[in-house]
C-alpha cells in the first residue's frame, strides 16, 4: 500500500482502523449504492471487525477493554452511500461463547484509508458478565438470532451504543 509520500508501506504497519477501511473499500468499490454485498465469516473484514468493534466500544465503555469477539456473522451488508456501509448480524462473545446482535455503520474518509465516522449498536439484555449474552454460539437459537436480527433491528433494546464525534 502506498503512503502519502508515495513509498510502500506494509499492511502489517497499518492501524486496525486503516485495515478495516482498506478491506471495506474493496467491497464498496464493487457495489452500487443501496445494494447488498456478501461478507463471509472467514473474510479478512470479518476478522478485522472482531477486533475493531470492541476497540470502538472501549472508547465509551471500560468493560470492553476486557472483552473480545470470537466471530462476526453478517446477515446483511449494504452500501448505503458513497463510502458508507451498514452491517447487521451477530457476534460471539469470547468470554462465554454466546451470541449477541449488532449493527454498525461505517463511513470511510474520502481517501478510503480511514474511517471518518461510525455508529455501533451491540447487544440486547441477556446474561453473562456484560449482561448481553444470548444463546450459545452453536445452538439452534443462535441460528434463529442471526436469521431474525435484520427484521428485529428497530425493536432491539441495544445495551451498548457508541458513535464517533464527527457523525
Amino acid at each position: 500500500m502506498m503512503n502519502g509520500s508515495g513509498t510502500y508501506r506494509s499492511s502489517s504497519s497499518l492501524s486496525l482502523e486503516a485495515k478495516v477501511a482498506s478491506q471495506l473499500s474493496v467491497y464498496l468499490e464493487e457495489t452500487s449504492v443501496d445494494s447488498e454485498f456478501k461478507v463471509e465469516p472467514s473474510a479478512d473484514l470479518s476478522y478485522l471487525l472482531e477486533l475493531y468493534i470492541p476497540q470502538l466500544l472501549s472508547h465509551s465503555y471500560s468493560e470492553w477493554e476486557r472483552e473480545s469477539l470470537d466471530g462476526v456473522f453478517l446477515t446483511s451488508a449494504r452500501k448505503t452511500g458513497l463510502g458508507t456501509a451498514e452491517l447487521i448480524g451477530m457476534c460471539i462473545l469470547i468470554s462465554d461463547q454466546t451470541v449477541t446482535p449488532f449493527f454498525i455503520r461505517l463511513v470511510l474518509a474520502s481517501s478510503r484509508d480511514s474511517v471518518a465516522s461510525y455508529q455501533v449498536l451491540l447487544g440486547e439484555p441477556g446474561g453473562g458478565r456484560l449482561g448481553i449474552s444470548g444463546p450459545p454460539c452453536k445452538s439452534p437459537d443462535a441460528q434463529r438470532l442471526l436469521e431474525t436480527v435484520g427484521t428485529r433491528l428497530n425493536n432491539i433494546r441495544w445495551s451498548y451504543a457508541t458513535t464517533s464525534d464527527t457523525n
Side-chain angles (χ1 to χ4, degrees):
M1 172 171 277
M2 300 292 271
N3 67 16
S5 64
T7 59
Y8 184 77
R9 180 174 60 174
S10 122
S11 65
S12 63
S13 68
L14 294 176
S15 71
L16 179 56
E17 177 185 292
K19 290 176 184 179
V20 169
S22 174
Q23 286 294 310
L24 183 58
S25 69
V26 171
Y27 288 95
L28 294 179
E29 287 172 10
E30 300 170 354
T31 307
S32 56
V33 173
D34 292 326
S35 296
E36 291 208 8
F37 54 94
K38 181 124 177 95
V39 181
E40 295 294 336
S42 60
D44 288 343
L45 180 59
S46 294
Y47 171 70
L48 291 169
L49 289 172
E50 289 176 28
L51 304 173
Y52 190 56
I53 291 171
Q55 182 183 79
L56 295 177
L57 288 168
S58 71
H59 296 307
S60 301
Y61 303 98
S62 61
E63 60 268 34
W64 277 93
E65 293 172 9
R66 296 176 309 281
E67 182 63 76
S68 299
L69 301 180
D70 194 22
V72 169
F73 303 90
L74 298 174
T75 188
S76 174
R78 177 174 287 279
K79 180 177 181 177
T80 59
L82 193 60
T84 303
E86 290 184 353
L87 309 171
I88 300 167
M90 71 175 190
C91 53
I92 300 172
L93 300 171
I94 205 163
S95 59
D96 62 9
Q97 294 297 291
T98 62
V99 295
T100 197
F102 75 88
F103 166 88
I104 184 168
R105 176 182 297 116
L106 297 172
V107 179
L108 300 181
S110 58
S111 60
R112 303 289 190 257
D113 62 355
S114 64
V115 174
S117 66
Y118 60 84
Q119 176 186 17
V120 178
L121 304 172
L122 187 136
E124 58 188 331
R129 185 174 64 79
L130 298 176
I132 60 171
S133 296
C137 65
K138 294 183 181 179
S139 70
D141 288 338
Q143 184 59 39
R144 278 191 286 282
L145 187 148
L146 181 62
E147 292 168 356
T148 64
V149 66
T151 58
R152 297 185 315 114
L153 196 63
N154 294 326
N155 297 318
I156 294 174
R157 290 186 310 132
W158 297 103
S159 297
Y160 293 95
T162 189
T163 59
S164 60
D165 296 333
T166 58
N167 263 352

